[in-house]
Amino acid sequence: MITAEYALGTLAACAAAAVLYKVLSGGAVEAALRALIGKALGVHV
C-alpha cells in the first residue's frame, strides 16, 4: 500500500509542476516578470 501512495504522491507532484509551468510560461505572467526585472535593473526590455 505504501508504494501506491508514493506513486500517487509523485503523480500529483508532477501534475502540480505541469500546471505551474503552464501558468508561469503564459504571456501575461512572462510580460509582468520582464517588466518587474527591467524596472528593478533600470533597463527597458
Side-chain angles (χ1 to χ4, degrees):
M1 187 68 168
I2 292 174
T3 303
E5 291 169 355
Y6 281 129
L8 286 176
T10 302
L11 183 62
C14 289
V19 169
L20 186 61
Y21 174 76
K22 280 293 203 180
V23 169
L24 291 179
S25 65
V29 175
E30 184 179 351
L33 286 174
R34 283 184 185 268
L36 181 66
I37 292 170
K39 186 175 181 181
L41 296 176
V43 295
H44 297 285
V45 288

PDB file of all heavy atoms in Angstrom:
ATOM      1  N   MET A   1       0.826  -1.203   0.000  1.00  0.00           N
ATOM      2  CA  MET A   1       0.000   0.000   0.000  1.00  0.00           C
ATOM      3  C   MET A   1       0.869   1.264   0.000  1.00  0.00           C
ATOM      4  O   MET A   1       0.517   2.249  -0.607  1.00  0.00           O
ATOM      5  CB  MET A   1      -0.912  -0.034   1.229  1.00  0.00           C
ATOM      6  CG  MET A   1      -1.910   1.073   1.239  1.00  0.00           C
ATOM      7  SD  MET A   1      -3.107   0.836  -0.077  1.00  0.00           S
ATOM      8  CE  MET A   1      -4.313   2.015   0.364  1.00  0.00           C
ATOM      9  N   ILE A   2       1.996   1.235   0.650  1.00  0.00           N
ATOM     10  CA  ILE A   2       2.847   2.414   0.722  1.00  0.00           C
ATOM     11  C   ILE A   2       3.384   2.776  -0.658  1.00  0.00           C
ATOM     12  O   ILE A   2       3.459   3.948  -1.019  1.00  0.00           O
ATOM     13  CB  ILE A   2       3.995   2.198   1.726  1.00  0.00           C
ATOM     14  CG1 ILE A   2       3.429   2.129   3.140  1.00  0.00           C
ATOM     15  CG2 ILE A   2       5.011   3.311   1.636  1.00  0.00           C
ATOM     16  CD1 ILE A   2       4.440   1.778   4.190  1.00  0.00           C
ATOM     17  N   THR A   3       3.729   1.787  -1.462  1.00  0.00           N
ATOM     18  CA  THR A   3       4.248   2.055  -2.800  1.00  0.00           C
ATOM     19  C   THR A   3       3.209   2.784  -3.649  1.00  0.00           C
ATOM     20  O   THR A   3       3.534   3.715  -4.378  1.00  0.00           O
ATOM     21  CB  THR A   3       4.669   0.740  -3.479  1.00  0.00           C
ATOM     22  OG1 THR A   3       5.635   0.094  -2.649  1.00  0.00           O
ATOM     23  CG2 THR A   3       5.261   0.997  -4.836  1.00  0.00           C
ATOM     24  N   ALA A   4       1.958   2.372  -3.529  1.00  0.00           N
ATOM     25  CA  ALA A   4       0.884   3.033  -4.270  1.00  0.00           C
ATOM     26  C   ALA A   4       0.721   4.478  -3.803  1.00  0.00           C
ATOM     27  O   ALA A   4       0.474   5.375  -4.620  1.00  0.00           O
ATOM     28  CB  ALA A   4      -0.422   2.275  -4.094  1.00  0.00           C
ATOM     29  N   GLU A   5       0.869   4.719  -2.532  1.00  0.00           N
ATOM     30  CA  GLU A   5       0.759   6.082  -2.017  1.00  0.00           C
ATOM     31  C   GLU A   5       1.895   6.959  -2.530  1.00  0.00           C
ATOM     32  O   GLU A   5       1.674   8.114  -2.888  1.00  0.00           O
ATOM     33  CB  GLU A   5       0.748   6.064  -0.487  1.00  0.00           C
ATOM     34  CG  GLU A   5      -0.518   5.457   0.082  1.00  0.00           C
ATOM     35  CD  GLU A   5      -0.421   5.196   1.572  1.00  0.00           C
ATOM     36  OE1 GLU A   5       0.676   5.404   2.145  1.00  0.00           O
ATOM     37  OE2 GLU A   5      -1.435   4.783   2.151  1.00  0.00           O
ATOM     38  N   TYR A   6       3.100   6.414  -2.583  1.00  0.00           N
ATOM     39  CA  TYR A   6       4.225   7.160  -3.148  1.00  0.00           C
ATOM     40  C   TYR A   6       4.000   7.451  -4.625  1.00  0.00           C
ATOM     41  O   TYR A   6       4.312   8.536  -5.107  1.00  0.00           O
ATOM     42  CB  TYR A   6       5.537   6.400  -2.966  1.00  0.00           C
ATOM     43  CG  TYR A   6       6.122   6.507  -1.583  1.00  0.00           C
ATOM     44  CD1 TYR A   6       6.501   5.372  -0.888  1.00  0.00           C
ATOM     45  CD2 TYR A   6       6.302   7.736  -0.973  1.00  0.00           C
ATOM     46  CE1 TYR A   6       7.047   5.460   0.382  1.00  0.00           C
ATOM     47  CE2 TYR A   6       6.841   7.843   0.292  1.00  0.00           C
ATOM     48  CZ  TYR A   6       7.210   6.702   0.968  1.00  0.00           C
ATOM     49  OH  TYR A   6       7.750   6.801   2.221  1.00  0.00           O
ATOM     50  N   ALA A   7       3.463   6.474  -5.339  1.00  0.00           N
ATOM     51  CA  ALA A   7       3.197   6.658  -6.766  1.00  0.00           C
ATOM     52  C   ALA A   7       2.166   7.757  -6.981  1.00  0.00           C
ATOM     53  O   ALA A   7       2.326   8.614  -7.862  1.00  0.00           O
ATOM     54  CB  ALA A   7       2.727   5.348  -7.389  1.00  0.00           C
ATOM     55  N   LEU A   8       1.114   7.762  -6.190  1.00  0.00           N
ATOM     56  CA  LEU A   8       0.090   8.803  -6.320  1.00  0.00           C
ATOM     57  C   LEU A   8       0.641  10.172  -5.922  1.00  0.00           C
ATOM     58  O   LEU A   8       0.323  11.186  -6.548  1.00  0.00           O
ATOM     59  CB  LEU A   8      -1.134   8.467  -5.469  1.00  0.00           C
ATOM     60  CG  LEU A   8      -2.009   7.349  -6.026  1.00  0.00           C
ATOM     61  CD1 LEU A   8      -3.145   7.042  -5.056  1.00  0.00           C
ATOM     62  CD2 LEU A   8      -2.568   7.721  -7.388  1.00  0.00           C
ATOM     63  N   GLY A   9       1.465  10.211  -4.896  1.00  0.00           N
ATOM     64  CA  GLY A   9       2.083  11.475  -4.496  1.00  0.00           C
ATOM     65  C   GLY A   9       3.003  12.023  -5.568  1.00  0.00           C
ATOM     66  O   GLY A   9       3.010  13.228  -5.852  1.00  0.00           O
ATOM     67  N   THR A  10       3.773  11.142  -6.190  1.00  0.00           N
ATOM     68  CA  THR A  10       4.660  11.554  -7.279  1.00  0.00           C
ATOM     69  C   THR A  10       3.860  12.053  -8.467  1.00  0.00           C
ATOM     70  O   THR A  10       4.206  13.071  -9.079  1.00  0.00           O
ATOM     71  CB  THR A  10       5.555  10.378  -7.702  1.00  0.00           C
ATOM     72  OG1 THR A  10       6.301   9.948  -6.561  1.00  0.00           O
ATOM     73  CG2 THR A  10       6.502  10.777  -8.804  1.00  0.00           C
ATOM     74  N   LEU A  11       2.797  11.350  -8.796  1.00  0.00           N
ATOM     75  CA  LEU A  11       1.932  11.766  -9.905  1.00  0.00           C
ATOM     76  C   LEU A  11       1.298  13.131  -9.620  1.00  0.00           C
ATOM     77  O   LEU A  11       1.254  13.997 -10.498  1.00  0.00           O
ATOM     78  CB  LEU A  11       0.848  10.714 -10.143  1.00  0.00           C
ATOM     79  CG  LEU A  11      -0.090  10.954 -11.304  1.00  0.00           C
ATOM     80  CD1 LEU A  11       0.682  10.965 -12.608  1.00  0.00           C
ATOM     81  CD2 LEU A  11      -1.163   9.890 -11.341  1.00  0.00           C
ATOM     82  N   ALA A  12       0.840  13.340  -8.391  1.00  0.00           N
ATOM     83  CA  ALA A  12       0.241  14.625  -8.027  1.00  0.00           C
ATOM     84  C   ALA A  12       1.276  15.752  -8.086  1.00  0.00           C
ATOM     85  O   ALA A  12       0.970  16.860  -8.536  1.00  0.00           O
ATOM     86  CB  ALA A  12      -0.365  14.542  -6.630  1.00  0.00           C
ATOM     87  N   ALA A  13       2.493  15.474  -7.654  1.00  0.00           N
ATOM     88  CA  ALA A  13       3.552  16.489  -7.706  1.00  0.00           C
ATOM     89  C   ALA A  13       3.889  16.849  -9.148  1.00  0.00           C
ATOM     90  O   ALA A  13       4.087  18.023  -9.469  1.00  0.00           O
ATOM     91  CB  ALA A  13       4.794  15.985  -6.980  1.00  0.00           C
ATOM     92  N   CYS A  14       3.932  15.855 -10.014  1.00  0.00           N
ATOM     93  CA  CYS A  14       4.214  16.125 -11.432  1.00  0.00           C
ATOM     94  C   CYS A  14       3.083  16.924 -12.069  1.00  0.00           C
ATOM     95  O   CYS A  14       3.335  17.831 -12.870  1.00  0.00           O
ATOM     96  CB  CYS A  14       4.422  14.816 -12.183  1.00  0.00           C
ATOM     97  SG  CYS A  14       5.967  14.002 -11.761  1.00  0.00           S
ATOM     98  N   ALA A  15       1.858  16.610 -11.725  1.00  0.00           N
ATOM     99  CA  ALA A  15       0.718  17.350 -12.262  1.00  0.00           C
ATOM    100  C   ALA A  15       0.751  18.799 -11.783  1.00  0.00           C
ATOM    101  O   ALA A  15       0.502  19.729 -12.557  1.00  0.00           O
ATOM    102  CB  ALA A  15      -0.586  16.683 -11.853  1.00  0.00           C
ATOM    103  N   ALA A  16       1.074  19.009 -10.510  1.00  0.00           N
ATOM    104  CA  ALA A  16       1.159  20.369  -9.971  1.00  0.00           C
ATOM    105  C   ALA A  16       2.284  21.144 -10.657  1.00  0.00           C
ATOM    106  O   ALA A  16       2.124  22.330 -10.971  1.00  0.00           O
ATOM    107  CB  ALA A  16       1.375  20.325  -8.461  1.00  0.00           C
ATOM    108  N   ALA A  17       3.408  20.484 -10.914  1.00  0.00           N
ATOM    109  CA  ALA A  17       4.516  21.143 -11.601  1.00  0.00           C
ATOM    110  C   ALA A  17       4.128  21.519 -13.028  1.00  0.00           C
ATOM    111  O   ALA A  17       4.494  22.591 -13.515  1.00  0.00           O
ATOM    112  CB  ALA A  17       5.736  20.230 -11.608  1.00  0.00           C
ATOM    113  N   ALA A  18       3.380  20.654 -13.694  1.00  0.00           N
ATOM    114  CA  ALA A  18       2.946  20.948 -15.063  1.00  0.00           C
ATOM    115  C   ALA A  18       2.006  22.145 -15.097  1.00  0.00           C
ATOM    116  O   ALA A  18       2.123  23.016 -15.962  1.00  0.00           O
ATOM    117  CB  ALA A  18       2.267  19.725 -15.677  1.00  0.00           C
ATOM    118  N   VAL A  19       1.093  22.216 -14.150  1.00  0.00           N
ATOM    119  CA  VAL A  19       0.166  23.356 -14.086  1.00  0.00           C
ATOM    120  C   VAL A  19       0.931  24.633 -13.783  1.00  0.00           C
ATOM    121  O   VAL A  19       0.698  25.679 -14.404  1.00  0.00           O
ATOM    122  CB  VAL A  19      -0.930  23.101 -13.022  1.00  0.00           C
ATOM    123  CG1 VAL A  19      -1.736  24.359 -12.755  1.00  0.00           C
ATOM    124  CG2 VAL A  19      -1.838  21.963 -13.482  1.00  0.00           C
ATOM    125  N   LEU A  20       1.855  24.575 -12.851  1.00  0.00           N
ATOM    126  CA  LEU A  20       2.662  25.748 -12.510  1.00  0.00           C
ATOM    127  C   LEU A  20       3.482  26.214 -13.705  1.00  0.00           C
ATOM    128  O   LEU A  20       3.586  27.413 -13.970  1.00  0.00           O
ATOM    129  CB  LEU A  20       3.574  25.428 -11.333  1.00  0.00           C
ATOM    130  CG  LEU A  20       4.382  26.579 -10.762  1.00  0.00           C
ATOM    131  CD1 LEU A  20       3.471  27.673 -10.223  1.00  0.00           C
ATOM    132  CD2 LEU A  20       5.294  26.072  -9.666  1.00  0.00           C
ATOM    133  N   TYR A  21       4.042  25.288 -14.455  1.00  0.00           N
ATOM    134  CA  TYR A  21       4.814  25.639 -15.644  1.00  0.00           C
ATOM    135  C   TYR A  21       3.932  26.336 -16.674  1.00  0.00           C
ATOM    136  O   TYR A  21       4.331  27.333 -17.265  1.00  0.00           O
ATOM    137  CB  TYR A  21       5.441  24.379 -16.250  1.00  0.00           C
ATOM    138  CG  TYR A  21       6.140  24.647 -17.556  1.00  0.00           C
ATOM    139  CD1 TYR A  21       7.380  25.277 -17.571  1.00  0.00           C
ATOM    140  CD2 TYR A  21       5.559  24.296 -18.765  1.00  0.00           C
ATOM    141  CE1 TYR A  21       8.029  25.545 -18.763  1.00  0.00           C
ATOM    142  CE2 TYR A  21       6.193  24.556 -19.962  1.00  0.00           C
ATOM    143  CZ  TYR A  21       7.421  25.180 -19.965  1.00  0.00           C
ATOM    144  OH  TYR A  21       8.046  25.445 -21.149  1.00  0.00           O
ATOM    145  N   LYS A  22       2.726  25.810 -16.877  1.00  0.00           N
ATOM    146  CA  LYS A  22       1.815  26.415 -17.851  1.00  0.00           C
ATOM    147  C   LYS A  22       1.436  27.837 -17.432  1.00  0.00           C
ATOM    148  O   LYS A  22       1.376  28.740 -18.259  1.00  0.00           O
ATOM    149  CB  LYS A  22       0.533  25.575 -17.987  1.00  0.00           C
ATOM    150  CG  LYS A  22       0.693  24.384 -18.860  1.00  0.00           C
ATOM    151  CD  LYS A  22       0.920  24.824 -20.273  1.00  0.00           C
ATOM    152  CE  LYS A  22       0.540  23.751 -21.245  1.00  0.00           C
ATOM    153  NZ  LYS A  22       0.743  24.158 -22.620  1.00  0.00           N
ATOM    154  N   VAL A  23       1.189  28.030 -16.147  1.00  0.00           N
ATOM    155  CA  VAL A  23       0.805  29.360 -15.657  1.00  0.00           C
ATOM    156  C   VAL A  23       1.967  30.332 -15.804  1.00  0.00           C
ATOM    157  O   VAL A  23       1.804  31.456 -16.297  1.00  0.00           O
ATOM    158  CB  VAL A  23       0.339  29.283 -14.188  1.00  0.00           C
ATOM    159  CG1 VAL A  23       0.197  30.668 -13.584  1.00  0.00           C
ATOM    160  CG2 VAL A  23      -0.983  28.535 -14.100  1.00  0.00           C
ATOM    161  N   LEU A  24       3.155  29.911 -15.389  1.00  0.00           N
ATOM    162  CA  LEU A  24       4.302  30.813 -15.412  1.00  0.00           C
ATOM    163  C   LEU A  24       4.843  31.062 -16.812  1.00  0.00           C
ATOM    164  O   LEU A  24       5.500  32.069 -17.050  1.00  0.00           O
ATOM    165  CB  LEU A  24       5.415  30.273 -14.516  1.00  0.00           C
ATOM    166  CG  LEU A  24       5.102  30.299 -13.024  1.00  0.00           C
ATOM    167  CD1 LEU A  24       6.272  29.717 -12.246  1.00  0.00           C
ATOM    168  CD2 LEU A  24       4.784  31.696 -12.540  1.00  0.00           C
ATOM    169  N   SER A  25       4.600  30.158 -17.741  1.00  0.00           N
ATOM    170  CA  SER A  25       5.093  30.363 -19.089  1.00  0.00           C
ATOM    171  C   SER A  25       4.061  31.073 -19.969  1.00  0.00           C
ATOM    172  O   SER A  25       4.302  31.277 -21.147  1.00  0.00           O
ATOM    173  CB  SER A  25       5.487  29.025 -19.729  1.00  0.00           C
ATOM    174  OG  SER A  25       4.354  28.199 -19.898  1.00  0.00           O
ATOM    175  N   GLY A  26       2.942  31.469 -19.377  1.00  0.00           N
ATOM    176  CA  GLY A  26       1.936  32.223 -20.112  1.00  0.00           C
ATOM    177  C   GLY A  26       2.438  33.619 -20.440  1.00  0.00           C
ATOM    178  O   GLY A  26       3.325  34.161 -19.794  1.00  0.00           O
ATOM    179  N   GLY A  27       1.881  34.221 -21.465  1.00  0.00           N
ATOM    180  CA  GLY A  27       2.347  35.523 -21.936  1.00  0.00           C
ATOM    181  C   GLY A  27       2.212  36.638 -20.916  1.00  0.00           C
ATOM    182  O   GLY A  27       3.120  37.453 -20.764  1.00  0.00           O
ATOM    183  N   ALA A  28       1.100  36.683 -20.200  1.00  0.00           N
ATOM    184  CA  ALA A  28       0.866  37.773 -19.254  1.00  0.00           C
ATOM    185  C   ALA A  28       1.851  37.709 -18.092  1.00  0.00           C
ATOM    186  O   ALA A  28       2.402  38.739 -17.678  1.00  0.00           O
ATOM    187  CB  ALA A  28      -0.569  37.715 -18.727  1.00  0.00           C
ATOM    188  N   VAL A  29       2.065  36.527 -17.566  1.00  0.00           N
ATOM    189  CA  VAL A  29       2.987  36.381 -16.441  1.00  0.00           C
ATOM    190  C   VAL A  29       4.416  36.683 -16.890  1.00  0.00           C
ATOM    191  O   VAL A  29       5.170  37.361 -16.189  1.00  0.00           O
ATOM    192  CB  VAL A  29       2.888  34.962 -15.836  1.00  0.00           C
ATOM    193  CG1 VAL A  29       3.926  34.769 -14.745  1.00  0.00           C
ATOM    194  CG2 VAL A  29       1.498  34.718 -15.290  1.00  0.00           C
ATOM    195  N   GLU A  30       4.777  36.196 -18.066  1.00  0.00           N
ATOM    196  CA  GLU A  30       6.126  36.451 -18.577  1.00  0.00           C
ATOM    197  C   GLU A  30       6.354  37.945 -18.781  1.00  0.00           C
ATOM    198  O   GLU A  30       7.411  38.481 -18.419  1.00  0.00           O
ATOM    199  CB  GLU A  30       6.337  35.708 -19.896  1.00  0.00           C
ATOM    200  CG  GLU A  30       7.735  35.843 -20.432  1.00  0.00           C
ATOM    201  CD  GLU A  30       7.950  35.077 -21.728  1.00  0.00           C
ATOM    202  OE1 GLU A  30       7.068  34.304 -22.128  1.00  0.00           O
ATOM    203  OE2 GLU A  30       9.015  35.275 -22.328  1.00  0.00           O
ATOM    204  N   ALA A  31       5.372  38.637 -19.330  1.00  0.00           N
ATOM    205  CA  ALA A  31       5.495  40.082 -19.545  1.00  0.00           C
ATOM    206  C   ALA A  31       5.614  40.820 -18.214  1.00  0.00           C
ATOM    207  O   ALA A  31       6.408  41.755 -18.089  1.00  0.00           O
ATOM    208  CB  ALA A  31       4.308  40.597 -20.342  1.00  0.00           C
ATOM    209  N   ALA A  32       4.836  40.400 -17.236  1.00  0.00           N
ATOM    210  CA  ALA A  32       4.897  41.046 -15.923  1.00  0.00           C
ATOM    211  C   ALA A  32       6.262  40.829 -15.277  1.00  0.00           C
ATOM    212  O   ALA A  32       6.831  41.752 -14.675  1.00  0.00           O
ATOM    213  CB  ALA A  32       3.792  40.508 -15.025  1.00  0.00           C
ATOM    214  N   LEU A  33       6.806  39.618 -15.387  1.00  0.00           N
ATOM    215  CA  LEU A  33       8.121  39.350 -14.816  1.00  0.00           C
ATOM    216  C   LEU A  33       9.212  40.145 -15.523  1.00  0.00           C
ATOM    217  O   LEU A  33      10.119  40.673 -14.886  1.00  0.00           O
ATOM    218  CB  LEU A  33       8.433  37.854 -14.888  1.00  0.00           C
ATOM    219  CG  LEU A  33       7.679  36.970 -13.900  1.00  0.00           C
ATOM    220  CD1 LEU A  33       7.964  35.506 -14.175  1.00  0.00           C
ATOM    221  CD2 LEU A  33       8.038  37.321 -12.475  1.00  0.00           C
ATOM    222  N   ARG A  34       9.109  40.237 -16.856  1.00  0.00           N
ATOM    223  CA  ARG A  34      10.097  41.028 -17.604  1.00  0.00           C
ATOM    224  C   ARG A  34      10.042  42.500 -17.184  1.00  0.00           C
ATOM    225  O   ARG A  34      11.073  43.140 -17.011  1.00  0.00           O
ATOM    226  CB  ARG A  34       9.854  40.913 -19.100  1.00  0.00           C
ATOM    227  CG  ARG A  34      10.323  39.623 -19.691  1.00  0.00           C
ATOM    228  CD  ARG A  34      10.124  39.650 -21.210  1.00  0.00           C
ATOM    229  NE  ARG A  34      10.450  38.389 -21.807  1.00  0.00           N
ATOM    230  CZ  ARG A  34      11.649  38.079 -22.280  1.00  0.00           C
ATOM    231  NH1 ARG A  34      12.630  38.955 -22.216  1.00  0.00           N
ATOM    232  NH2 ARG A  34      11.868  36.899 -22.813  1.00  0.00           N
ATOM    233  N   ALA A  35       8.838  43.026 -17.032  1.00  0.00           N
ATOM    234  CA  ALA A  35       8.692  44.419 -16.625  1.00  0.00           C
ATOM    235  C   ALA A  35       9.243  44.641 -15.217  1.00  0.00           C
ATOM    236  O   ALA A  35       9.920  45.639 -14.961  1.00  0.00           O
ATOM    237  CB  ALA A  35       7.223  44.824 -16.686  1.00  0.00           C
ATOM    238  N   LEU A  36       8.980  43.698 -14.327  1.00  0.00           N
ATOM    239  CA  LEU A  36       9.458  43.822 -12.955  1.00  0.00           C
ATOM    240  C   LEU A  36      10.984  43.769 -12.894  1.00  0.00           C
ATOM    241  O   LEU A  36      11.619  44.598 -12.224  1.00  0.00           O
ATOM    242  CB  LEU A  36       8.862  42.700 -12.096  1.00  0.00           C
ATOM    243  CG  LEU A  36       9.244  42.693 -10.627  1.00  0.00           C
ATOM    244  CD1 LEU A  36       8.665  43.918  -9.935  1.00  0.00           C
ATOM    245  CD2 LEU A  36       8.742  41.434  -9.970  1.00  0.00           C
ATOM    246  N   ILE A  37      11.563  42.840 -13.617  1.00  0.00           N
ATOM    247  CA  ILE A  37      13.029  42.723 -13.632  1.00  0.00           C
ATOM    248  C   ILE A  37      13.656  43.943 -14.306  1.00  0.00           C
ATOM    249  O   ILE A  37      14.651  44.488 -13.836  1.00  0.00           O
ATOM    250  CB  ILE A  37      13.457  41.420 -14.326  1.00  0.00           C
ATOM    251  CG1 ILE A  37      13.038  40.229 -13.473  1.00  0.00           C
ATOM    252  CG2 ILE A  37      14.958  41.395 -14.565  1.00  0.00           C
ATOM    253  CD1 ILE A  37      13.196  38.891 -14.150  1.00  0.00           C
ATOM    254  N   GLY A  38      13.064  44.394 -15.394  1.00  0.00           N
ATOM    255  CA  GLY A  38      13.573  45.578 -16.082  1.00  0.00           C
ATOM    256  C   GLY A  38      13.511  46.813 -15.201  1.00  0.00           C
ATOM    257  O   GLY A  38      14.438  47.614 -15.168  1.00  0.00           O
ATOM    258  N   LYS A  39      12.415  46.934 -14.460  1.00  0.00           N
ATOM    259  CA  LYS A  39      12.279  48.082 -13.560  1.00  0.00           C
ATOM    260  C   LYS A  39      13.304  48.007 -12.426  1.00  0.00           C
ATOM    261  O   LYS A  39      13.893  49.013 -12.046  1.00  0.00           O
ATOM    262  CB  LYS A  39      10.860  48.108 -12.992  1.00  0.00           C
ATOM    263  CG  LYS A  39      10.548  49.313 -12.172  1.00  0.00           C
ATOM    264  CD  LYS A  39       9.090  49.313 -11.743  1.00  0.00           C
ATOM    265  CE  LYS A  39       8.759  50.545 -10.938  1.00  0.00           C
ATOM    266  NZ  LYS A  39       7.365  50.560 -10.501  1.00  0.00           N
ATOM    267  N   ALA A  40      13.524  46.792 -11.916  1.00  0.00           N
ATOM    268  CA  ALA A  40      14.483  46.625 -10.818  1.00  0.00           C
ATOM    269  C   ALA A  40      15.915  46.932 -11.287  1.00  0.00           C
ATOM    270  O   ALA A  40      16.702  47.489 -10.537  1.00  0.00           O
ATOM    271  CB  ALA A  40      14.411  45.202 -10.260  1.00  0.00           C
ATOM    272  N   LEU A  41      16.222  46.570 -12.531  1.00  0.00           N
ATOM    273  CA  LEU A  41      17.572  46.808 -13.052  1.00  0.00           C
ATOM    274  C   LEU A  41      17.723  48.172 -13.713  1.00  0.00           C
ATOM    275  O   LEU A  41      18.824  48.557 -14.061  1.00  0.00           O
ATOM    276  CB  LEU A  41      17.938  45.710 -14.048  1.00  0.00           C
ATOM    277  CG  LEU A  41      18.030  44.292 -13.493  1.00  0.00           C
ATOM    278  CD1 LEU A  41      18.309  43.305 -14.590  1.00  0.00           C
ATOM    279  CD2 LEU A  41      19.086  44.212 -12.419  1.00  0.00           C
ATOM    280  N   GLY A  42      16.609  48.847 -13.910  1.00  0.00           N
ATOM    281  CA  GLY A  42      16.670  50.170 -14.529  1.00  0.00           C
ATOM    282  C   GLY A  42      16.865  50.125 -16.029  1.00  0.00           C
ATOM    283  O   GLY A  42      17.380  51.086 -16.603  1.00  0.00           O
ATOM    284  N   VAL A  43      16.483  49.038 -16.670  1.00  0.00           N
ATOM    285  CA  VAL A  43      16.591  48.930 -18.121  1.00  0.00           C
ATOM    286  C   VAL A  43      15.229  48.594 -18.708  1.00  0.00           C
ATOM    287  O   VAL A  43      14.350  48.095 -18.030  1.00  0.00           O
ATOM    288  CB  VAL A  43      17.604  47.822 -18.542  1.00  0.00           C
ATOM    289  CG1 VAL A  43      18.993  48.188 -18.109  1.00  0.00           C
ATOM    290  CG2 VAL A  43      17.201  46.479 -17.999  1.00  0.00           C
ATOM    291  N   HIS A  44      15.062  48.906 -19.985  1.00  0.00           N
ATOM    292  CA  HIS A  44      13.821  48.585 -20.660  1.00  0.00           C
ATOM    293  C   HIS A  44      14.063  47.361 -21.533  1.00  0.00           C
ATOM    294  O   HIS A  44      14.924  47.374 -22.406  1.00  0.00           O
ATOM    295  CB  HIS A  44      13.364  49.745 -21.534  1.00  0.00           C
ATOM    296  CG  HIS A  44      13.055  50.963 -20.730  1.00  0.00           C
ATOM    297  ND1 HIS A  44      11.914  51.072 -19.974  1.00  0.00           N
ATOM    298  CD2 HIS A  44      13.728  52.113 -20.530  1.00  0.00           C
ATOM    299  CE1 HIS A  44      11.900  52.246 -19.367  1.00  0.00           C
ATOM    300  NE2 HIS A  44      13.015  52.903 -19.691  1.00  0.00           N
ATOM    301  N   VAL A  45      13.289  46.305 -21.264  1.00  0.00           N
ATOM    302  CA  VAL A  45      13.428  45.073 -22.054  1.00  0.00           C
ATOM    303  C   VAL A  45      12.165  44.788 -22.811  1.00  0.00           C
ATOM    304  O   VAL A  45      11.108  45.179 -22.481  1.00  0.00           O
ATOM    305  CB  VAL A  45      13.797  43.848 -21.178  1.00  0.00           C
ATOM    306  CG1 VAL A  45      15.221  43.959 -20.713  1.00  0.00           C
ATOM    307  CG2 VAL A  45      12.846  43.707 -20.023  1.00  0.00           C
TER     308      VAL A  45
END
